[in-house]
Amino acid sequence: MCGIVAYIGSQSAFPIILKGLKRLEYRGYDSAGIALFDEHISCFKKKGRVSELEAWKEKVTESAQVGIGHTRWATHGEPSDANAHPHQSNSGRLTLVHNGIIENYASLKKELEQKGYHFKSLTDTEVLVNFIEEIQKNNNSTLEEAIRFALKRVIGAYVIIVMEEGYPDRLIAARKGSPLVIGIGDGEHFLASDASPIIEYTKKVIYVNDYELAIITRDEVSLKNLGNEPVTPYIQQLDLELAQIEKGGYDHFMLKEIFEQPDSLTDCLRGRLEPESGILTLAGVEQNLSAFAQAKRIVIIACGTSWHAGLVAEYMIETLCRIPVEVEYASEFRYRNPVIGPGDVIIAISQSGETADTLVAIEKAKEQGAFIFGVVNAVGSSIARTSHGGAYIHAGPEIGVASTKAFTGQL
Ligand code: GLU
């Protein structure tokens, strides 16, 4: 997991991107970097926290009004200046930030090395940016076409945002398995891994879906699928206040979130708990009652703290419902060949709704005919959208990496 921010508009891009990266630091913080488009693309990246990038402040000009930024949580190559994003292609034409993992990067790297490409980092990301460059060069194609071709060959999860030398008025982004939100301003656009860097500027957003590619200029967002067919963007109004994601006087987000639990639980139960009768009704369960009533078995899939919530749920559901329950680590589930089929109810639990292993496990269970029920905090997230039914826990944004209020909400 990492954080990505980008800006295209008429304001100075650097402070907007820097501030956005600070808001996303909870997603990753081993190194960070920013690339700005002035007359040409220039790039600054450093091992360590996002604040290390402030050293670049004096050197950047107001006139750079387009840029991309990244705060990293390494998967390939240790945290270092060289492995930090953005990464540039060998010719310097393309500059890219990436959130996710390119699973087949080793074979692509070998192919590229045979063609004379060299690599400055140990990341899968640098392979991807050069792979796109190679396709573009080979086919004499536009960047958009090259990205499309490249992504068809890539196995893994990604959000990428790419800038191209000579095209200062355009960003290209694409996603599969990692989140991307586009904020729509007046003659400007903001891109980020979640809405927190965006809400102070606009509440109009588009959540980009898997296998979609977005071409973003100052005035327009055009969405396409990887088959080059246009997709109509669905513009949503964000129901989130900036104060909700700031520290509110506490020293740490985690502390703030611990103390928010009376409120977050009230929000979670609001409209669901009938105090007189003590009956709790979840619309997502009501709408899918037959799936639950006919369940032969319930399998809970989750990771980390959500998995612990699942262990408690196993105990409660078996005691109260007399339905067998299994709790599985999503990362184990996805890599074996589990016996799953119609009649199984999968409860997938995730605070962010973006947990990569849980998402893949869901897809696998879905293919095998199971009914998927998501228990998710982040509204509009990937797990929420891919589940057949579900219940939001309405705990509000959880920034602390150790889950607190989301855990009690899940329970
Ligand atoms: N796989 C990439 C890397 O190791 C991106 C990791 C991330 O999402 O932060 O650099």
Side-chain angles (χ1 to χ4, degrees):
M1 189 156 95
C2 80
I4 284 180
V5 185
Y7 175 77
I8 179 162
S10 51
Q11 304 185 54
S12 170
F14 182 75
I16 293 175
I17 295 172
L18 187 70
K19 197 169 180 189
L21 288 178
K22 285 184 179 163
R23 292 233 162 89
L24 290 180
E25 231 177 350
Y26 74 95
R27 296 177 60 90
Y29 38 79
D30 65 38
S31 49
I34 294 182
L36 295 173
F37 216 136
D38 209 351
E39 268 170 46
H40 294 285
I41 297 170
S42 51
C43 189
F44 184 74
K45 49 191 198 167
K46 272 260 160 264
K47 178 181 167 181
R49 310 289 299 216
V50 171
S51 54
E52 299 285 334
L53 301 178
E54 272 159 23
W56 205 32
K57 202 156 45 191
E58 264 67 78
K59 301 207 179 76
V60 301
T61 55
E62 291 273 317
S63 54
Q65 295 166 346
V66 179
I68 56 181
H70 187 273
T71 173
R72 179 171 183 243
W73 191 248
T75 65
H76 293 70
E78 79 285 352
S80 67
D81 291 358
N83 288 336
H85 299 214
H87 287 283
Q88 296 191 294
S89 61
N90 275 196
S91 72
R93 270 181 72 80
L94 306 182
T95 304
L96 172 149
V97 286
H98 165 222
N99 167 206
I101 297 175
I102 306 302
E103 306 255 9
N104 59 337
Y105 85 102
S107 58
L108 297 176
K109 188 170 185 175
K110 212 185 245 163
E111 244 178 68
L112 290 169
E113 275 169 344
Q114 278 160 2
K115 291 183 171 138
Y117 282 81
H118 55 270
F119 296 89
K120 295 184 194 136
S121 80
L122 294 171
T123 61
D124 47 343
T125 306
E126 197 187 5
V127 174
L128 179 60
V129 68
N130 282 299
F131 186 51
I132 296 170
E133 168 154 298
E134 170 60 18
I135 292 177
Q136 195 179 7
K137 223 166 56 184
N138 230 355
N139 301 339
N140 208 3
S141 57
T142 62
L143 174 60
E144 186 193 321
E145 283 163 345
I147 293 177
R148 243 191 345 258
F149 285 136
L151 295 183
K152 282 185 188 155
R153 278 206 50 204
V154 157
I155 301 169
Y158 53 79
V159 157
I160 55 167
I161 307 177
V162 195
M163 298 199 296
E164 181 180 20
E165 207 49 84
Y167 295 84
D169 301 315
R170 180 203 65 188
L171 297 168
I172 301 189
R175 83 156 256 180
K176 185 201 152 199
S178 295
L180 178 65
V181 190
I182 302 175
I184 306 165
D186 197 7
E188 58 185 356
H189 286 109
F190 306 82
L191 285 77
S193 303
D194 71 27
S196 58
I198 296 177
I199 42 174
E200 100 178 70
Y201 308 103
T202 175
K203 291 203 164 176
K204 270 202 316 200
V205 296
I206 299 168
Y207 284 93
V208 178
N209 288 308
D210 276 350
Y211 304 107
E212 282 177 1
L213 189 131
I215 300 122
I216 303 115
T217 63
R218 286 178 175 78
D219 297 310
E220 211 184 346
V221 174
S222 98
L223 275 188
K224 292 179 178 180
N225 61 24
L226 290 188
N228 200 23
E229 293 155 341
V231 174
T232 311
Y234 173 57
I235 300 172
Q236 302 187 30
Q237 197 71 20
L238 275 179
D239 183 19
L240 196 68
E241 294 302 327
L242 191 56
Q244 281 179 275
I245 55 162
E246 287 187 336
K247 282 193 220 138
Y250 289 96
D251 287 343
H252 308 284
F253 281 115
M254 187 173 158
L255 200 56
K256 170 176 171 262
E257 287 156 10
I258 288 170
F259 281 97
E260 273 172 2
Q261 286 176 103
D263 288 335
S264 62
L265 283 173
T266 306
D267 289 342
C268 181
L269 297 176
R270 199 188 303 282
R272 293 169 164 171
L273 181 66
E274 168 56 59
E276 316 280 86
S277 61
I279 291 177
L280 198 135
T281 311
L282 294 173
V285 174
E286 289 293 303
Q287 283 154 12
N288 298 289
L289 217 45
S290 64
F292 282 98
Q294 287 159 26
K296 293 205 268 303
R297 173 173 74 141
I298 292 174
V299 181
I300 298 177
I301 47 179
C303 292
T305 311
S306 301
W307 179 80
H308 285 88
L311 292 180
V312 183
E314 175 182 23
Y315 188 93
M316 294 200 289
I317 296 171
E318 287 196 340
T319 306
L320 295 170
C321 309
R322 311 306 298 153
I323 300 173
V325 179
E326 283 166 36
V327 189
E328 284 246 25
Y329 235 98
S331 49
E332 300 293 330
F333 185 96
R334 67 175 284 193
Y335 287 114
R336 59 184 192 85
N337 190 9
V339 183
I340 293 285
D344 286 326
V345 168
I346 303 284
I347 302 182
I349 312 177
S350 165
Q351 187 284 124
S352 65
E354 302 293 346
T355 315
D357 287 327
T358 308
L359 262 169
V360 177
I362 289 175
E363 291 307 330
K364 205 161 176 176
K366 236 175 152 179
E367 275 164 24
Q368 295 175 35
F371 173 80
I372 317 290
F373 189 82
V375 176
V376 163
N377 189 27
V379 175
S381 56
S382 302
I383 292 179
R385 284 180 287 140
T386 197
S387 299
H388 297 116
Y392 285 120
I393 65 172
H394 298 308
E398 186 175 72
I399 310 291
V401 172
S403 180
T404 55
K405 62 174 182 168
F407 175 73
T408 45
Q410 290 163 349
L411 287 189

